[in-house]
Short mmCIF file of all heavy atoms in Angstrom, two decimals:
data_model
loop_
_atom_site.label_atom_id
_atom_site.label_comp_id
_atom_site.label_asym_id
_atom_site.label_seq_id
_atom_site.Cartn_x
_atom_site.Cartn_y
_atom_site.Cartn_z
N MET A 1 86.59 -13.88 160.37
CA MET A 1 86.24 -12.65 159.79
C MET A 1 84.79 -12.54 159.87
O MET A 1 84.11 -13.61 159.94
CB MET A 1 86.74 -12.58 158.26
CG MET A 1 88.24 -12.57 158.16
SD MET A 1 88.65 -12.40 156.41
CE MET A 1 88.43 -10.81 156.04
N LYS A 2 84.19 -11.35 159.67
CA LYS A 2 82.82 -11.20 159.78
C LYS A 2 82.30 -10.49 158.50
O LYS A 2 83.01 -9.67 157.86
CB LYS A 2 82.52 -10.28 160.95
CG LYS A 2 82.55 -11.05 162.26
CD LYS A 2 81.43 -10.46 163.19
CE LYS A 2 81.50 -11.12 164.54
NZ LYS A 2 81.05 -12.49 164.47
N ALA A 3 81.14 -10.83 158.04
CA ALA A 3 80.39 -10.17 157.06
C ALA A 3 79.38 -9.23 157.69
O ALA A 3 78.89 -9.41 158.73
CB ALA A 3 79.78 -11.17 156.07
N HIS A 4 79.04 -8.22 156.77
CA HIS A 4 78.09 -7.32 157.33
C HIS A 4 77.18 -6.95 156.07
O HIS A 4 77.66 -6.64 154.96
CB HIS A 4 78.71 -6.13 157.89
CG HIS A 4 77.65 -5.05 158.27
ND1 HIS A 4 77.41 -3.86 157.53
CD2 HIS A 4 76.91 -4.99 159.43
CE1 HIS A 4 76.52 -3.14 158.11
NE2 HIS A 4 76.15 -3.78 159.21
N VAL A 5 75.84 -6.84 156.38
CA VAL A 5 74.91 -6.42 155.29
C VAL A 5 74.34 -5.07 155.81
O VAL A 5 73.80 -5.01 156.78
CB VAL A 5 73.83 -7.40 155.03
CG1 VAL A 5 72.85 -6.83 154.03
CG2 VAL A 5 74.29 -8.80 154.53
N ASP A 6 74.42 -4.04 154.91
CA ASP A 6 73.76 -2.78 155.15
C ASP A 6 72.30 -3.02 154.73
O ASP A 6 72.04 -2.86 153.54
CB ASP A 6 74.51 -1.73 154.50
CG ASP A 6 73.77 -0.39 154.70
OD1 ASP A 6 72.81 -0.26 155.51
OD2 ASP A 6 74.15 0.61 154.05
N GLN A 7 71.54 -3.35 155.74
CA GLN A 7 70.06 -3.66 155.27
C GLN A 7 69.27 -2.43 154.80
O GLN A 7 68.28 -2.67 154.12
CB GLN A 7 69.43 -4.23 156.53
CG GLN A 7 69.96 -5.69 156.92
CD GLN A 7 69.16 -6.27 158.07
OE1 GLN A 7 68.48 -5.51 158.78
NE2 GLN A 7 69.13 -7.54 158.02
N GLU A 8 69.72 -1.22 154.92
CA GLU A 8 69.10 -0.11 154.41
C GLU A 8 69.08 -0.24 152.92
O GLU A 8 68.12 0.32 152.17
CB GLU A 8 69.84 1.15 154.81
CG GLU A 8 69.84 1.49 156.29
CD GLU A 8 68.88 2.57 156.64
OE1 GLU A 8 68.70 3.58 155.87
OE2 GLU A 8 68.27 2.36 157.76
N GLY A 9 70.02 -0.79 152.31
CA GLY A 9 70.12 -0.83 150.87
C GLY A 9 69.73 -2.17 150.25
O GLY A 9 69.59 -2.19 148.98
N CYS A 10 69.55 -3.15 151.12
CA CYS A 10 69.27 -4.51 150.53
C CYS A 10 68.02 -4.41 149.80
O CYS A 10 67.00 -3.96 150.34
CB CYS A 10 69.31 -5.53 151.71
SG CYS A 10 68.71 -7.17 151.22
N ILE A 11 67.89 -5.03 148.67
CA ILE A 11 66.67 -5.12 147.82
C ILE A 11 65.92 -6.59 147.91
O ILE A 11 64.99 -6.85 147.19
CB ILE A 11 66.86 -4.78 146.33
CG1 ILE A 11 67.87 -5.65 145.73
CG2 ILE A 11 67.19 -3.28 146.31
CD1 ILE A 11 67.98 -5.46 144.19
N GLY A 12 66.60 -7.35 148.82
CA GLY A 12 65.95 -8.59 149.11
C GLY A 12 65.96 -9.64 147.93
O GLY A 12 65.08 -10.51 147.78
N CYS A 13 67.02 -9.56 147.05
CA CYS A 13 67.04 -10.54 145.85
C CYS A 13 67.39 -11.85 146.32
O CYS A 13 67.04 -12.79 145.56
CB CYS A 13 68.01 -10.00 144.90
SG CYS A 13 69.81 -10.20 145.46
N GLY A 14 67.91 -12.07 147.46
CA GLY A 14 68.13 -13.48 147.82
C GLY A 14 69.47 -14.10 147.38
O GLY A 14 69.84 -15.26 147.66
N LEU A 15 70.21 -13.33 146.57
CA LEU A 15 71.40 -13.98 145.87
C LEU A 15 72.40 -14.37 146.85
O LEU A 15 72.96 -15.52 146.82
CB LEU A 15 71.94 -12.91 144.89
CG LEU A 15 72.70 -13.42 143.69
CD1 LEU A 15 71.89 -14.44 142.90
CD2 LEU A 15 73.03 -12.21 142.82
N CYS A 16 72.73 -13.49 147.88
CA CYS A 16 73.80 -13.88 148.75
C CYS A 16 73.52 -15.07 149.54
O CYS A 16 74.46 -15.86 149.73
CB CYS A 16 74.10 -12.64 149.78
SG CYS A 16 72.63 -12.10 150.66
N SER A 17 72.30 -15.24 150.02
CA SER A 17 71.95 -16.54 150.77
C SER A 17 71.91 -17.76 149.96
O SER A 17 72.18 -18.82 150.42
CB SER A 17 70.59 -16.36 151.53
OG SER A 17 69.54 -16.06 150.56
N GLU A 18 71.68 -17.57 148.69
CA GLU A 18 71.84 -18.65 147.67
C GLU A 18 73.20 -19.12 147.47
O GLU A 18 73.65 -20.35 147.56
CB GLU A 18 71.26 -18.30 146.35
CG GLU A 18 69.97 -18.97 145.94
CD GLU A 18 69.27 -18.41 144.73
OE1 GLU A 18 69.99 -18.50 143.62
OE2 GLU A 18 68.22 -17.87 144.77
N ILE A 19 74.05 -18.07 147.31
CA ILE A 19 75.51 -18.36 147.03
C ILE A 19 76.31 -18.82 148.26
O ILE A 19 77.05 -19.75 148.19
CB ILE A 19 76.16 -17.08 146.48
CG1 ILE A 19 75.59 -16.69 145.06
CG2 ILE A 19 77.66 -17.20 146.33
CD1 ILE A 19 75.99 -15.39 144.49
N CYS A 20 75.93 -18.22 149.38
CA CYS A 20 76.77 -18.66 150.59
C CYS A 20 75.72 -18.68 151.85
O CYS A 20 75.78 -17.81 152.69
CB CYS A 20 77.76 -17.50 150.84
SG CYS A 20 78.95 -18.03 152.12
N PRO A 21 74.96 -19.75 151.92
CA PRO A 21 74.03 -19.92 153.04
C PRO A 21 74.65 -20.13 154.39
O PRO A 21 73.96 -20.00 155.42
CB PRO A 21 73.24 -21.14 152.52
CG PRO A 21 73.98 -21.92 151.65
CD PRO A 21 74.95 -20.87 150.87
N ASP A 22 76.00 -20.49 154.33
CA ASP A 22 76.68 -20.57 155.60
C ASP A 22 76.67 -19.21 156.35
O ASP A 22 76.83 -19.19 157.64
CB ASP A 22 78.17 -21.03 155.38
CG ASP A 22 78.33 -22.46 155.20
OD1 ASP A 22 77.26 -23.10 155.29
OD2 ASP A 22 79.46 -22.84 155.05
N VAL A 23 76.78 -18.13 155.69
CA VAL A 23 77.05 -16.85 156.24
C VAL A 23 75.74 -15.93 156.16
O VAL A 23 75.47 -15.24 157.06
CB VAL A 23 78.16 -16.15 155.47
CG1 VAL A 23 78.41 -14.71 156.08
CG2 VAL A 23 79.41 -17.06 155.69
N PHE A 24 75.00 -15.98 154.98
CA PHE A 24 73.91 -15.10 154.80
C PHE A 24 72.62 -15.81 154.89
O PHE A 24 72.39 -17.00 154.36
CB PHE A 24 74.09 -14.40 153.41
CG PHE A 24 75.36 -13.74 153.23
CD1 PHE A 24 76.38 -14.31 152.61
CD2 PHE A 24 75.50 -12.47 153.85
CE1 PHE A 24 77.51 -13.57 152.45
CE2 PHE A 24 76.69 -11.77 153.72
CZ PHE A 24 77.70 -12.29 153.07
N ARG A 25 71.55 -15.23 155.45
CA ARG A 25 70.22 -15.73 155.38
C ARG A 25 69.25 -14.50 155.21
O ARG A 25 69.66 -13.35 155.51
CB ARG A 25 69.89 -16.59 156.59
CG ARG A 25 69.84 -15.67 157.93
CD ARG A 25 69.59 -16.61 159.12
NE ARG A 25 69.74 -15.84 160.28
CZ ARG A 25 69.99 -16.36 161.50
NH1 ARG A 25 70.05 -17.57 161.66
NH2 ARG A 25 70.04 -15.63 162.62
N MET A 26 67.96 -14.87 154.82
CA MET A 26 67.06 -13.86 154.65
C MET A 26 66.14 -13.81 156.00
O MET A 26 65.92 -14.86 156.57
CB MET A 26 66.13 -14.12 153.53
CG MET A 26 66.79 -14.31 152.08
SD MET A 26 68.05 -12.98 151.78
CE MET A 26 66.74 -11.64 151.35
N ASN A 27 65.81 -12.61 156.48
CA ASN A 27 65.06 -12.60 157.75
C ASN A 27 63.56 -12.50 157.28
O ASN A 27 63.18 -12.47 156.16
CB ASN A 27 65.53 -11.36 158.57
CG ASN A 27 65.42 -10.02 157.98
OD1 ASN A 27 64.54 -9.84 157.06
ND2 ASN A 27 65.93 -9.02 158.49
N ASP A 28 62.71 -12.31 158.33
CA ASP A 28 61.35 -12.34 158.10
C ASP A 28 60.86 -11.13 157.30
O ASP A 28 59.83 -11.08 156.67
CB ASP A 28 60.62 -12.25 159.54
CG ASP A 28 60.78 -13.57 160.20
OD1 ASP A 28 61.21 -14.55 159.60
OD2 ASP A 28 60.45 -13.50 161.44
N ASP A 29 61.73 -10.00 157.17
CA ASP A 29 61.32 -8.95 156.36
C ASP A 29 61.93 -9.07 154.97
O ASP A 29 61.92 -8.08 154.18
CB ASP A 29 61.78 -7.62 156.97
CG ASP A 29 61.18 -7.28 158.30
OD1 ASP A 29 60.02 -7.61 158.43
OD2 ASP A 29 61.86 -6.82 159.23
N ASN A 30 62.39 -10.23 154.56
CA ASN A 30 63.04 -10.49 153.31
C ASN A 30 64.33 -9.63 153.12
O ASN A 30 64.58 -9.20 151.99
CB ASN A 30 62.11 -10.46 152.15
CG ASN A 30 62.67 -11.16 150.89
OD1 ASN A 30 63.17 -12.22 151.07
ND2 ASN A 30 62.40 -10.49 149.70
N LEU A 31 65.06 -9.24 154.08
CA LEU A 31 66.27 -8.55 154.00
C LEU A 31 67.38 -9.56 154.42
O LEU A 31 67.21 -10.47 155.30
CB LEU A 31 66.34 -7.40 154.95
CG LEU A 31 65.23 -6.30 154.61
CD1 LEU A 31 65.26 -5.29 155.73
CD2 LEU A 31 65.54 -5.76 153.18
N ALA A 32 68.55 -9.39 153.80
CA ALA A 32 69.63 -10.43 154.09
C ALA A 32 70.30 -9.96 155.46
O ALA A 32 70.30 -8.79 155.84
CB ALA A 32 70.67 -10.38 152.99
N GLU A 33 70.67 -10.91 156.21
CA GLU A 33 71.48 -10.72 157.34
C GLU A 33 72.67 -11.72 157.30
O GLU A 33 72.62 -12.82 156.88
CB GLU A 33 70.66 -10.82 158.67
CG GLU A 33 70.07 -12.19 158.86
CD GLU A 33 69.17 -12.25 160.12
OE1 GLU A 33 68.75 -11.17 160.54
OE2 GLU A 33 68.87 -13.27 160.55
N ALA A 34 73.83 -11.18 157.89
CA ALA A 34 75.02 -12.04 157.99
C ALA A 34 75.01 -12.66 159.33
O ALA A 34 75.24 -11.92 160.34
CB ALA A 34 76.23 -11.12 157.72
N TYR A 35 74.67 -13.93 159.40
CA TYR A 35 74.43 -14.43 160.77
C TYR A 35 75.70 -15.56 161.11
O TYR A 35 75.88 -15.99 162.21
CB TYR A 35 73.21 -15.28 160.84
CG TYR A 35 73.25 -16.60 159.97
CD1 TYR A 35 73.41 -17.84 160.64
CD2 TYR A 35 73.20 -16.55 158.60
CE1 TYR A 35 73.45 -19.13 160.00
CE2 TYR A 35 73.23 -17.71 157.93
CZ TYR A 35 73.40 -19.01 158.48
OH TYR A 35 73.49 -20.19 157.83
N GLY A 36 76.46 -15.85 160.05
CA GLY A 36 77.48 -16.85 160.24
C GLY A 36 78.81 -16.15 160.16
O GLY A 36 79.03 -15.20 159.47
N GLU A 37 79.83 -16.89 160.72
CA GLU A 37 81.19 -16.46 160.73
C GLU A 37 81.75 -16.76 159.27
O GLU A 37 81.38 -17.83 158.67
CB GLU A 37 82.00 -17.33 161.78
CG GLU A 37 83.32 -16.78 162.27
CD GLU A 37 83.14 -15.51 163.13
OE1 GLU A 37 82.21 -15.36 163.78
OE2 GLU A 37 84.19 -14.70 162.99
N VAL A 38 82.64 -15.86 158.84
CA VAL A 38 83.29 -16.18 157.57
C VAL A 38 84.53 -16.91 157.90
O VAL A 38 85.39 -16.44 158.82
CB VAL A 38 83.64 -14.82 156.81
CG1 VAL A 38 84.48 -15.18 155.55
CG2 VAL A 38 82.42 -14.09 156.44
N THR A 39 84.73 -18.16 157.45
CA THR A 39 85.91 -19.04 157.74
C THR A 39 86.60 -19.35 156.40
O THR A 39 86.21 -18.95 155.37
CB THR A 39 85.29 -20.36 158.24
OG1 THR A 39 84.61 -20.96 157.28
CG2 THR A 39 84.36 -20.14 159.55
N ASP A 40 87.75 -20.00 156.65
CA ASP A 40 88.55 -20.53 155.48
C ASP A 40 87.72 -21.22 154.50
O ASP A 40 87.86 -21.11 153.31
CB ASP A 40 89.77 -21.26 155.90
CG ASP A 40 90.75 -20.40 156.61
OD1 ASP A 40 90.76 -19.21 156.62
OD2 ASP A 40 91.73 -21.05 157.19
N GLU A 41 86.77 -22.09 155.12
CA GLU A 41 85.99 -23.01 154.20
C GLU A 41 85.03 -22.12 153.31
O GLU A 41 84.77 -22.53 152.04
CB GLU A 41 85.26 -23.98 155.17
CG GLU A 41 86.10 -25.04 155.58
CD GLU A 41 87.07 -24.63 156.67
OE1 GLU A 41 86.65 -23.79 157.55
OE2 GLU A 41 88.23 -25.09 156.70
N ASN A 42 84.44 -21.18 153.90
CA ASN A 42 83.34 -20.50 153.08
C ASN A 42 83.70 -18.96 152.58
O ASN A 42 82.90 -18.35 152.04
CB ASN A 42 82.03 -20.35 153.92
CG ASN A 42 82.12 -19.55 155.29
OD1 ASN A 42 82.97 -18.60 155.31
ND2 ASN A 42 81.38 -19.86 156.26
N MET A 43 85.04 -18.70 152.76
CA MET A 43 85.47 -17.34 152.38
C MET A 43 85.20 -17.15 150.94
O MET A 43 84.72 -16.06 150.50
CB MET A 43 87.02 -17.34 152.70
CG MET A 43 87.66 -16.12 152.10
SD MET A 43 87.39 -14.57 153.10
CE MET A 43 88.46 -15.01 154.54
N ALA A 44 85.58 -18.12 150.01
CA ALA A 44 85.39 -17.91 148.60
C ALA A 44 83.98 -17.73 148.19
O ALA A 44 83.64 -16.69 147.42
CB ALA A 44 86.00 -19.08 147.88
N ALA A 45 83.02 -18.38 148.83
CA ALA A 45 81.62 -18.21 148.55
C ALA A 45 81.15 -16.89 149.10
O ALA A 45 80.35 -16.14 148.56
CB ALA A 45 80.79 -19.32 149.13
N ALA A 46 81.65 -16.57 150.27
CA ALA A 46 81.23 -15.27 150.90
C ALA A 46 81.61 -14.07 150.03
O ALA A 46 80.84 -13.14 149.85
CB ALA A 46 81.87 -15.16 152.37
N GLU A 47 82.89 -14.13 149.49
CA GLU A 47 83.35 -13.13 148.67
C GLU A 47 82.64 -13.02 147.40
O GLU A 47 82.28 -12.00 146.79
CB GLU A 47 84.86 -13.34 148.47
CG GLU A 47 85.68 -13.06 149.65
CD GLU A 47 87.19 -13.25 149.42
OE1 GLU A 47 87.49 -13.85 148.44
OE2 GLU A 47 88.00 -12.60 150.17
N GLU A 48 82.28 -14.21 146.80
CA GLU A 48 81.40 -14.25 145.64
C GLU A 48 80.12 -13.67 145.85
O GLU A 48 79.52 -12.88 145.07
CB GLU A 48 81.29 -15.74 145.17
CG GLU A 48 80.48 -15.74 143.72
CD GLU A 48 80.24 -17.20 143.25
OE1 GLU A 48 80.84 -18.04 143.89
OE2 GLU A 48 79.32 -17.37 142.52
N ALA A 49 79.48 -13.88 146.99
CA ALA A 49 78.18 -13.32 147.46
C ALA A 49 78.30 -11.83 147.47
O ALA A 49 77.40 -11.06 147.01
CB ALA A 49 77.73 -13.84 148.71
N ARG A 50 79.41 -11.28 148.17
CA ARG A 50 79.66 -9.96 148.27
C ARG A 50 79.68 -9.23 146.80
O ARG A 50 79.12 -8.22 146.60
CB ARG A 50 80.89 -9.61 149.00
CG ARG A 50 81.41 -8.14 149.11
CD ARG A 50 82.85 -8.04 149.50
NE ARG A 50 83.62 -8.66 148.47
CZ ARG A 50 84.89 -8.94 148.70
NH1 ARG A 50 85.48 -8.77 149.88
NH2 ARG A 50 85.68 -9.43 147.71
N ASP A 51 80.49 -9.87 146.06
CA ASP A 51 80.82 -9.32 144.58
C ASP A 51 79.52 -9.42 143.77
O ASP A 51 79.45 -8.70 142.77
CB ASP A 51 81.92 -10.07 143.94
CG ASP A 51 83.29 -9.86 144.77
OD1 ASP A 51 83.40 -8.79 145.64
OD2 ASP A 51 84.28 -10.51 144.57
N SER A 52 78.68 -10.27 144.14
CA SER A 52 77.37 -10.55 143.29
C SER A 52 76.25 -9.66 143.72
O SER A 52 75.26 -9.56 142.93
CB SER A 52 76.99 -11.99 143.32
OG SER A 52 78.00 -12.94 142.85
N CYS A 53 76.36 -9.16 144.91
CA CYS A 53 75.17 -8.31 145.35
C CYS A 53 74.98 -7.15 144.34
O CYS A 53 75.90 -6.35 144.17
CB CYS A 53 75.55 -7.75 146.78
SG CYS A 53 74.27 -6.61 147.39
N PRO A 54 73.81 -7.03 143.80
CA PRO A 54 73.56 -6.03 142.85
C PRO A 54 73.60 -4.62 143.44
O PRO A 54 73.67 -3.62 142.52
CB PRO A 54 72.14 -6.31 142.33
CG PRO A 54 71.47 -7.16 143.38
CD PRO A 54 72.61 -7.96 144.08
N VAL A 55 73.42 -4.42 144.73
CA VAL A 55 73.53 -3.04 145.20
C VAL A 55 74.75 -2.81 146.16
O VAL A 55 74.77 -1.85 146.84
CB VAL A 55 72.16 -2.66 145.93
CG1 VAL A 55 71.02 -2.58 145.07
CG2 VAL A 55 71.83 -3.88 147.01
N SER A 56 75.61 -3.80 146.12
CA SER A 56 76.90 -3.73 146.87
C SER A 56 76.79 -3.22 148.34
O SER A 56 77.45 -2.25 148.75
CB SER A 56 77.72 -2.61 146.23
OG SER A 56 77.99 -3.10 144.77
N VAL A 57 75.94 -3.93 149.03
CA VAL A 57 75.81 -3.61 150.43
C VAL A 57 76.45 -4.48 151.45
O VAL A 57 76.20 -4.54 152.63
CB VAL A 57 74.31 -3.44 150.81
CG1 VAL A 57 73.65 -2.19 150.13
CG2 VAL A 57 73.43 -4.61 150.55
N ILE A 58 77.17 -5.49 150.87
CA ILE A 58 77.87 -6.46 151.63
C ILE A 58 79.34 -6.15 151.83
O ILE A 58 80.00 -5.77 150.84
CB ILE A 58 77.81 -7.90 151.06
CG1 ILE A 58 76.29 -8.26 150.96
CG2 ILE A 58 78.61 -8.91 151.79
CD1 ILE A 58 76.10 -9.58 150.20
N THR A 59 79.82 -6.14 153.09
CA THR A 59 81.20 -6.01 153.31
C THR A 59 81.69 -7.20 154.11
O THR A 59 80.92 -7.77 154.97
CB THR A 59 81.60 -4.64 154.17
OG1 THR A 59 80.72 -4.63 155.37
CG2 THR A 59 81.26 -3.44 153.31
N ILE A 60 82.98 -7.52 154.00
CA ILE A 60 83.63 -8.57 154.77
C ILE A 60 84.92 -7.97 155.37
O ILE A 60 85.77 -7.42 154.60
CB ILE A 60 83.96 -9.76 153.84
CG1 ILE A 60 82.77 -10.37 153.28
CG2 ILE A 60 84.73 -10.76 154.63
CD1 ILE A 60 82.94 -11.38 152.17
N GLU A 61 85.08 -8.07 156.60
CA GLU A 61 86.34 -7.62 157.23
C GLU A 61 86.69 -8.38 158.56
O GLU A 61 85.91 -9.11 159.01
CB GLU A 61 86.21 -6.12 157.62
CG GLU A 61 84.96 -5.83 158.53
CD GLU A 61 84.85 -4.28 158.68
OE1 GLU A 61 84.99 -3.58 157.60
OE2 GLU A 61 84.33 -3.90 159.71
S1 SF4 B 101 72.67 -10.04 147.43
FE1 SF4 B 101 72.53 -7.95 148.26
S2 SF4 B 101 70.62 -7.16 147.62
FE2 SF4 B 101 70.48 -9.35 147.39
S3 SF4 B 101 69.65 -10.14 149.31
FE3 SF4 B 101 71.84 -10.21 149.56
S4 SF4 B 101 72.44 -8.26 150.43
FE4 SF4 B 101 70.30 -8.08 149.69
#
């Protein structure tokens, strides 16, 4: 599965990359990007990151 961040709405809080660094990282503009595959191992953390995003710009599909 893949995660996606709509960077237009990201406010750069860093929460997703803290909760699930396997999948999310901050880029040079301090916007989150989903760089990693969502796997069975990190799925729970990836979903927690999605659900914790204060502006709800993360999707997983
Ligand atoms: S949790 Fe949401 S707002 Fe915060 S860095 Fe991640 S995508 Fe951006």
Side-chain angles (χ1 to χ4, degrees):
M1 297 180 81
K2 284 214 179 292
H4 178 259
V5 176
D6 179 4
Q7 290 184 335
E8 297 259 321
C10 174
I11 58 171
C13 72
L15 208 52
C16 55
S17 60
E18 247 172 66
I19 293 171
C20 188
D22 277 2
V23 175
F24 303 100
R25 67 185 172 198
M26 306 308 290
N27 69 15
D28 290 343
D29 296 324
N30 200 40
L31 297 173
E33 59 186 19
Y35 74 102
E37 198 73 25
V38 179
T39 64
D40 288 348
E41 284 72 38
N42 62 32
M43 171 80 75
E47 288 180 340
E48 187 185 341
R50 175 197 62 196
D51 296 345
S52 300
C53 175
V55 287
S56 302
V57 293
I58 298 173
T59 51
I60 298 171
E61 56 192 29

